């Protein structure tokens, strides 16, 4: 039992062609206008009751107006391609070869965009939306600012769905949560002096040297904590000096700390305090500033805790029932993402949230990114079944 139970041959063809068209439409973070307009037309053509683009540039389609509500979210922005000549197939061709859709965004996550949009229309046609409201959101600037898009969408449209399905790639495995993250900036402070008289200054880079060693040691300790463990990576270093002939007055490093269930905000703050202990240094959350395709200024605070939904929850049970009907057997495994997603917003609002999407997430952002076409079709019918079961 699979997608053929709900998807006619004509719908399958349309769905795959739409996924191809999404891949062919470039949509780097902050440059998603063309793909959002493409989605808007498709939602209207498929008979969505309402289609709205908010001031940040996210698009929301609605079907039905019942009391019980569920939202399926996918982001439409992708990372850049800097090695196009080395791809086996052009990264924006949307070619289908050997049963796989090839191209940037095929995994992360335009296949899920297509599957979720068609799932809403199929659920409506099958009568699954009776007494329910189904939302499908296609959000922008997730790659840099996960969750900020849904935060804005929910606030602007005064929306709080009852349930959320995050359609990030999971190889069509029900995913129960993901790690949190804290992106942190540490700065050391020195005293500038001419390079010919360094003894008159204090070198901020030397002040940072021990902190760098502490970061490495802290990560090694985290790695020894078992299968479920946090990580700490120093991803950038820079300095400020009056010239190349001067003692640096400031040095900055940027840290990426992945957080596991059970770790608290206080735990992370204490850890950062220890990294700079007894040094002329300070730390803060590494706030990011971006601009959406509509011109809206985005301010993002990357500090989110891990989350996990229980298998006994109503949403989990609905997904398990949908999986069984869609694939003919109960799930034999569940997943937990290492990476962060838009789920951080609904989870922070107390909205039950779960994950499921086509594509192997280890192929995301990689050369020769590709997704199995059968997984796209199966994800679509699974989403429709979730609407039926919820």
């Amino acid at each position: 039992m699979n997608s053929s139970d709900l998807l006619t041959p004509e719908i399958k063809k349309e769905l795959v062609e739409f996924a191809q068209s999404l891949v062919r439409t470039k949509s780097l973070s902050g440059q998603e206008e063309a793909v959002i307009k493409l989605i808007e037309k498709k939602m209207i053509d498929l008979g969505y009751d309402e289609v709205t683009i908010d001031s940040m540039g996210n698009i929301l389609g609605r079907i039905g107006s019942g009391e019980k509500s569920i939202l399926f979210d996918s982001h439409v922005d992708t990372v850049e391609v800097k090695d196009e000549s080395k791809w086996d197939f052009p990264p924006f061709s949307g070619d289908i070869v050997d049963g796989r859709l090839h191209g940037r965004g095929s995994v992360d996550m335009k296949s899920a965009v297509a599957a979720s949009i068609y799932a809403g229309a199929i659920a409506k046609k099958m009568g699954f939306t009776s007494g329910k409201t189904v939302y499908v959101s296609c959000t922008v600037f997730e790659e840099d600012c996960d969750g900020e898009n849904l935060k804005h969408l929910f606030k602007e449209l005064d929306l709080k769905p009852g349930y959320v399905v995050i359609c990030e790639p999971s190889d069509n495995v029900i995913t129960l949560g993901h790690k949190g993250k804290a992106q942190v900036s540490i700065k050391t402070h020195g005293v500038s002096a001419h390079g010919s008289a360094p003894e008159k200054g204090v070198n901020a880079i030397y002040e940072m040297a021990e902190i760098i060693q502490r970061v490495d040691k802290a990560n090694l300790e985290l790695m020894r904590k078992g299968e479920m463990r946090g990580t700490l990576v120093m991803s950038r270093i820079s300095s400020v000096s009056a010239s190349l002939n001067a003692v640096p007055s400031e040095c900055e490093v940027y840290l990426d700390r992945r957080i596991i269930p059970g770790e608290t905000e206080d735990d992370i703050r204490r850890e950062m305090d220890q990294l700079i202990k007894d040094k002329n240094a300070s730390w803060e959350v590494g706030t990011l500033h971006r601009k959406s395709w509509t011109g809206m200024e985005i301010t993002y605070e990357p500090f989110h805790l891990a989350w996990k939904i229980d298998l006994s929850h109503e949403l989990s049970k609905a997904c398990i029932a949908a999986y069984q009907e869609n694939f003919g057997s109960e799930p034999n495994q569940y997943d937990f993402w290492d990476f962060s997603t838009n789920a951080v917003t609904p989870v922070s609002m107390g909205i039950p949230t779960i994950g499921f999407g086509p594509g192997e997430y280890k192929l995301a952002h990689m050369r020769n990114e590709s997704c199995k076409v059968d997984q796209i079709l199966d994800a679509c019918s699974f989403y429709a079944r979730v609407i039926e079961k919820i």
Side-chain angles (χ1 to χ4, degrees):
M1 194 174 297
N2 51 40
S3 61
S4 62
D5 297 315
L6 290 180
L7 278 61
T8 65
E10 293 76 18
I11 290 296
K12 289 182 181 181
K13 182 173 182 293
E14 280 186 31
L15 170 53
V16 172
E17 288 177 349
F18 181 50
Q20 288 179 283
S21 69
L22 291 170
V23 171
R24 291 168 181 155
T25 306
K26 292 185 181 181
S27 55
L28 300 180
S29 300
Q31 302 174 34
E32 305 97 338
E33 180 176 8
V35 78
I36 289 292
K37 294 298 176 63
L38 178 66
I39 289 167
E40 180 183 37
K41 183 179 185 304
K42 178 58 70 173
M43 284 181 168
I44 292 171
D45 289 346
L46 287 173
Y48 274 66
D49 297 331
E50 184 179 23
V51 181
T52 305
I53 299 176
D54 71 8
S55 58
M56 185 176 175
N58 306 295
I59 188 167
L60 181 74
R62 177 184 61 81
I63 291 174
S65 56
E67 184 175 347
K68 184 171 283 190
S69 61
I70 185 168
L71 178 139
F72 296 83
D73 176 70
S74 306
H75 68 83
V76 298
D77 60 315
T78 72
V79 296
E80 294 183 64
V81 176
K82 297 183 179 179
D83 57 354
E84 187 165 347
S85 64
K86 297 180 180 180
W87 286 55
D88 292 342
F89 305 96
F92 301 102
S93 66
D95 287 342
I96 293 179
V97 181
D98 295 330
R100 302 184 73 94
L101 171 61
H102 293 261
R104 174 59 80 227
S106 56
V107 170
D108 191 18
M109 51 181 300
K110 292 179 175 180
S111 292
V113 171
S116 59
I117 290 171
Y118 267 83
I122 290 167
K124 179 180 180 180
K125 181 180 178 181
M126 298 298 294
F128 298 163
T129 59
S130 178
K132 302 166 187 173
T133 305
V134 176
Y135 298 104
V136 177
S137 58
C138 300
T139 44
V140 301
F141 237 126
E142 186 273 351
E143 292 292 354
D144 285 2
C145 308
D146 43 308
E148 204 62 33
N149 39 35
L150 284 182
K151 185 189 297 183
H152 179 84
L153 181 75
F154 290 171
K155 183 177 180 180
E156 182 173 318
L157 302 184
D158 192 25
L159 175 65
K160 186 178 180 181
Y163 308 96
V164 170
V165 177
I166 298 294
C167 305
E168 287 274 3
S170 68
D171 214 18
N172 280 3
V173 173
I174 296 172
T175 301
L176 305 176
H178 65 62
K179 290 181 180 179
K181 72 173 180 182
Q183 293 172 206
V184 171
S185 166
I186 294 178
K187 290 181 181 178
T188 50
H189 313 286
V191 177
S192 181
H194 196 276
S196 63
E199 72 280 1
K200 294 183 179 180
V202 177
N203 195 313
I205 291 178
Y206 300 163
E207 189 74 3
M208 184 66 77
E210 186 176 346
I211 294 175
I212 293 173
Q213 296 301 313
R214 291 175 182 178
V215 169
D216 186 40
K217 182 180 178 182
N219 182 58
L220 291 174
E221 291 174 355
L222 289 170
M223 297 291 282
R224 287 193 282 264
K225 289 191 174 181
E227 185 175 348
M228 179 67 76
R229 56 183 180 242
T231 54
L232 181 62
V233 171
M234 185 173 290
S235 58
R236 187 179 69 199
I237 184 169
S238 61
S239 63
V240 175
S241 61
S243 73
L244 291 176
N245 304 311
V247 173
S249 58
E250 182 179 284
C251 183
E252 179 183 16
V253 295
Y254 202 82
L255 306 182
D256 181 302
R257 172 63 157 91
R258 298 293 157 150
I259 303 167
I260 62 172
E263 291 184 312
T264 67
E265 183 174 332
D266 286 343
D267 292 334
I268 305 305
R269 291 187 177 278
R270 281 193 295 269
E271 185 177 284
M272 296 301 128
D273 289 341
Q274 285 297 118
L275 290 176
I276 65 171
K277 186 178 180 181
D278 300 325
K279 308 302 290 183
N280 188 11
S282 58
W283 73 268
E284 63 183 5
V285 176
T287 304
L288 299 179
H289 300 279
R290 299 290 186 266
K291 182 180 289 187
S292 79
W293 68 264
T294 62
M296 171 177 283
E297 298 290 343
I298 304 169
T299 300
Y300 173 58
E301 301 289 336
F303 198 152
H304 311 294
L305 297 180
W307 64 277
K308 186 176 183 180
I309 192 170
D310 196 276
L311 277 173
S312 63
H313 192 279
E314 180 183 7
L315 178 59
S316 302
K317 290 180 177 178
C319 287
I320 292 167
Y323 188 99
Q324 185 168 9
E325 186 152 351
N326 202 58
F327 297 102
S329 63
E330 290 190 0
N332 59 13
Q333 62 176 324
Y334 300 94
D335 209 344
F336 185 88
W337 287 314
D338 285 337
F339 54 89
S340 186
T341 76
N342 278 342
V344 297
T345 288
V347 167
S348 70
M349 297 170 63
I351 301 172
T353 303
I354 205 164
F356 184 99
E360 303 160 67
Y361 55 77
K362 296 300 183 184
L363 298 180
H365 300 191
M366 292 187 65
R367 184 187 307 163
N368 296 324
E369 181 180 350
S370 67
C371 181
K372 292 178 183 177
V373 170
D374 284 348
Q375 282 201 353
I376 305 172
L377 302 174
D378 285 340
C380 178
S381 55
F382 170 81
Y383 296 148
R385 291 293 186 190
V386 171
I387 295 168
E388 177 190 23
K389 302 297 182 183
I390 197 64

